[in-house]
């Protein structure tokens, strides 16, 4: 289940262009208590934020559905395998429309979190 969550985290960061959880770059990961608390208390509100940010980034409902299922707070609600992830309709839709990543980067700000949302 942790691998599925990690896949969702990576997918979110690739599609949105920002970290899922902001860690302080001046600290070692284990010392950043604020970020670790966010991670430890991951809940449905965080999941809704993920869906909203994917929408702001121009990712459709299928992409938001896939990522949010991977990031479900409860491990039993996440996909059970990569095979299940790869069977998700997002991939079929992405192949049909062409490369999703090529359209995602437009307007993406790599300088700071959320700076391109106005």
């Amino acid at each position: 289940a942790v691998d599925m969550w990690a896949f969702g985290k990576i997918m979110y960061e690739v599609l949105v262009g920002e970290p899922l959880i902001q860690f302080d770059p001046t600290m070692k990961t284990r010392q950043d208590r604020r970020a670790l608390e966010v991670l430890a208390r991951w809940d449905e509100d965080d999941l809704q934020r993920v869906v909203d940010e994917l929408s702001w980034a121009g990712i459709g409902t299928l992409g938001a559905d896939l990522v949010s299922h991977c990031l479900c707070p409860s491990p039993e609600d996440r996909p059970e395998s990569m095979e299940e992830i790869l069977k998700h309709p997002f991939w079929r839709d992405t192949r049909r429309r062409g490369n999703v990543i090529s359209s995602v980067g437009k307007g993406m700000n790599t300088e700071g979190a959320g700076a391109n949302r106005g």
Side-chain angles (χ1 to χ4, degrees), residues 2 6 26 33 41 59 83 89 95 100:
V2 171
T26 65
R33 292 195 184 277
R41 295 179 184 186
I59 305 305
E83 184 177 333
R95 281 191 295 273
V100 70

Side-chain angles (χ1 to χ4, degrees), residues 40-91:
R41 295 179 184 186
W42 189 260
D43 63 15
E44 295 296 327
D45 290 336
D46 294 303
L47 207 53
Q48 184 59 54
R49 179 185 55 82
V50 164
V51 171
D52 292 344
E53 290 180 359
L54 286 164
S55 176
W56 292 328
I59 305 305
T61 56
L62 288 174
D65 180 71
L66 175 58
V67 173
S68 65
H69 274 93
C70 291
L71 295 174
C72 278
S74 180
E76 50 274 351
D77 293 334
R78 297 178 199 149
E80 293 182 15
S81 67
M82 282 305 293
E83 184 177 333
E84 185 178 340
I85 287 173
L86 293 173
K87 287 182 180 180
H88 192 280
F90 169 77
W91 304 113

